[in-house]
Amino acid sequence: MTLNRVPENDSIARQRSSHDDTNKTSQLALAQHDGNSSTKSVNSLADSDNDDMRLKRQVGLFSGVTLIVGTMIGSGIFVSAGSLLANAGSPGLCLVLWAACGLYSLLGALSYCEIGTLIPKSGGELSFSVYKHIMLIDSREYIYFLEAFGKMHKFFGPILAFIFAWVTVFLINPSSVAILSLSFAKYFISPILTAIHFCPDVYLSYVIDRLLATICIGLITFVNCYSVSAATRVQNIFTVGKLTAIAIIIGGGLYYLGLGYTENLEIGFEGSASSFGQIATAFYGGLWAYSGWNNLNFITEELKDPYRNLPLAIIIAIPLTTICYVLINVSYLTVLTPEQIISSDVVAVDWGNAVLGSASFLIPLGVVVSVIGTTNGTLFAAGRVSHVVGREGQSPDFLSYIHIEKKTPVAPTLLTSLLGMLMIIPGDIGTLIDFFGFAISIFYCAAMVALVVMRFTKKDEHRPIKVPIIIPIIVMVVSAILVVAPIVAAPQVQYFYVLLFILAGLIFYVPFVYYKKRVPGMDSFTILMQKLLLVAPTTSH
């Protein structure tokens, strides 16, 4: 990997100079309506701020590492290890797949760094995109995206970017928040109900879980809207907390391993799955557990010294997570049989009951801490994705605005939270986890195709970070296999749901993005949102 250092101040200077003329002739106005005193008062607050109305660089290397680790290590490794083992068929292949998922995530993240920090010749902001950093902030860089695919027709060029934004903003991120918040509710209340010897009926349990999940989303939303530094402090604290819980599991497993509890590991690869469909489905479980490795690309604008810290945070965080995942599964297998792991929905809790005795409450506590940290990291990055979609004109304008004092993307953060709260109501969101891996693999493959194409169509373009081309090719091939193999070997209805949802995005793309039709009353609604949320356009507008 080649790292071409560019002084950050020079980049920012070029960025600011490209907008100086525009900024001198236009205020950071929320709307230009005579007599609109409320709007003008908000505008005056924005104008009175000496700082540019843009996201601030407040995220350092340690916070970047904890954001990736904190987002990746969530409920998956604690409660869903059994599904991967069931599809793998053997402990040996299970451990290999956990390591392979880590390697896949590392190679993919390094590939994302190249486009995520790419600086155009004509100057401009750091590349900060929606379609896994393909759809860029500056309108000139949007043309660059089209040229990357061989001067594609103007109708088809932006479709991939919009569809990714459509799926991510309205399905993947909100469903992730919903799943994580429900996991928090379950593992928060379970030890309490056990301690007081109370067993609620199905309806009461449903209400309690949804209430706690809503409170969890609400509190984390408040933190992310209030302050970037507060959100990263929460991430740092809870990442340390969850690593403590992981250390307990790993330490206990190594202790039992030293005592000779190796009979489950000695099974090796006996009974391993041989079908590509089964292996790909097992890989989906790993992708869910590793999801979040690309979140740092979504906060490039807020990362200090991004050319150094972006790849360094990835190189530190993903191998650390991979080692933890493999050792945790080794620990599970030293105490529990493969059959016990496969049949358990809360394998970490079962492990704690078998090993820790009266101290077993530490494991549910660790799961709760882990889920809070993951939900915080997911919501932190999700707000930035919606923010960029709005800035590119592919969603309502107010989604691209930031708070005039806190400099946080309040509107998109609230959007993700509200959608997540709606998704927890029906409760049957387990299928979202099943097709999460399928959906995300489609876009991972497309992103790698774009990167390879741009190596040839824009080979002279300046790249602060450049990876060997074999890396994106490997990720592209593996992603393509993950998309095709399950459909061919073991087709399931949820895969077609994903495809239908993607096609549904075209219904909105044609009139509102391609033909740029505006919903009647949207301007008034935008002004209302600005007044309520105290948000204004960034200086890049």
Side-chain angles (χ1 to χ4, degrees), residues 474-488:
I474 292 173
V475 178
M476 177 181 64
V477 172
V478 173
S479 300
I481 293 174
L482 291 176
V483 173
V484 176
I487 296 179
V488 174

Side-chain angles (χ1 to χ4, degrees), residues 127-342:
S127 303
F128 181 53
S129 65
V130 177
Y131 174 49
K132 298 300 184 187
H133 52 264
I134 295 174
M135 189 175 68
L136 307 179
I137 289 298
D138 193 284
S139 59
R140 290 165 292 185
E141 281 29 88
Y142 197 74
I143 298 173
Y144 176 58
F145 165 73
L146 299 178
E147 292 180 353
F149 290 93
K151 299 185 182 301
M152 196 178 295
H153 188 273
K154 65 178 182 178
F155 175 83
F156 296 102
I159 285 181
L160 286 176
F162 175 78
I163 293 300
F164 171 79
W166 167 262
V167 174
T168 300
V169 171
F170 293 104
L171 178 63
I172 293 178
N173 286 335
S175 64
S176 297
V177 170
I179 293 167
L180 290 166
S181 63
L182 286 171
S183 299
F184 161 83
K186 181 176 181 179
Y187 293 104
F188 178 82
I189 197 63
S190 177
I192 296 176
L193 296 178
T194 301
I196 63 177
H197 304 289
F198 178 69
C199 182
D201 58 29
V202 175
Y203 177 75
L204 182 57
S205 177
Y206 173 91
V207 172
I208 293 174
D209 287 347
R210 270 66 191 175
L211 179 61
L212 289 174
T214 301
I215 293 173
C216 174
I217 295 176
L219 290 176
I220 295 176
T221 300
F222 172 77
V223 171
N224 277 270
C225 291
Y226 180 76
S227 170
V228 171
S229 59
T232 55
R233 280 197 297 270
V234 168
Q235 195 66 35
N236 294 347
I237 293 171
F238 281 96
T239 297
V240 172
K242 79 171 66 178
L243 291 179
T244 301
I246 289 173
I248 293 175
I249 297 177
I250 293 175
L254 293 177
Y255 173 75
Y256 273 80
L257 195 63
L259 294 178
Y261 287 78
T262 60
E263 56 269 23
N264 294 325
L265 293 172
E266 290 172 358
I267 297 174
F269 292 88
E270 182 180 345
S272 295
S274 56
S275 165
F276 278 111
Q278 277 187 290
I279 295 175
T281 303
F283 217 89
Y284 287 168
L287 289 181
W288 167 252
Y290 279 97
S291 62
W293 52 262
N294 59 322
N295 278 345
L296 207 60
N297 282 286
F298 293 145
I299 60 165
T300 306
E301 286 182 302
E302 297 166 89
L303 190 65
K304 298 176 182 176
D305 194 5
Y307 303 142
R308 171 185 176 272
N309 288 338
L310 180 59
L312 192 57
I314 289 170
I315 291 172
I316 294 173
I318 296 181
L320 175 62
T321 304
T322 303
I323 293 171
C324 289
Y325 281 179
V326 172
L327 290 179
I328 287 173
N329 280 274
V330 170
S331 181
Y332 291 157
L333 289 166
T334 59
V335 177
L336 304 173
T337 65
E339 291 74 19
Q340 289 175 314
I341 296 174
I342 292 172

Side-chain angles (χ1 to χ4, degrees), residues 349-373:
V349 174
D350 292 343
W351 182 94
N353 292 333
V355 175
L356 300 179
S358 60
S360 60
F361 72 91
L362 293 174
I363 299 303
L365 179 61
V367 174
V368 167
V369 169
S370 175
V371 170
I372 291 176

Side-chain angles (χ1 to χ4, degrees), residues 10-32:
D10 290 347
S11 173
I12 295 175
R14 291 195 303 270
Q15 171 181 317
R16 288 177 176 170
S17 64
S18 65
H19 297 290
D20 279 349
D21 292 339
T22 301
N23 293 337
K24 288 178 181 178
T25 59
S26 62
Q27 295 178 330
L28 291 173
L30 302 178
Q32 301 297 330

Side-chain angles (χ1 to χ4, degrees), residues 512-524:
F512 299 120
V513 177
Y514 182 70
Y515 288 109
K516 302 186 185 301
K517 300 294 184 181
R518 293 187 65 83
V519 178
M522 181 56 67
D523 290 339
S524 298

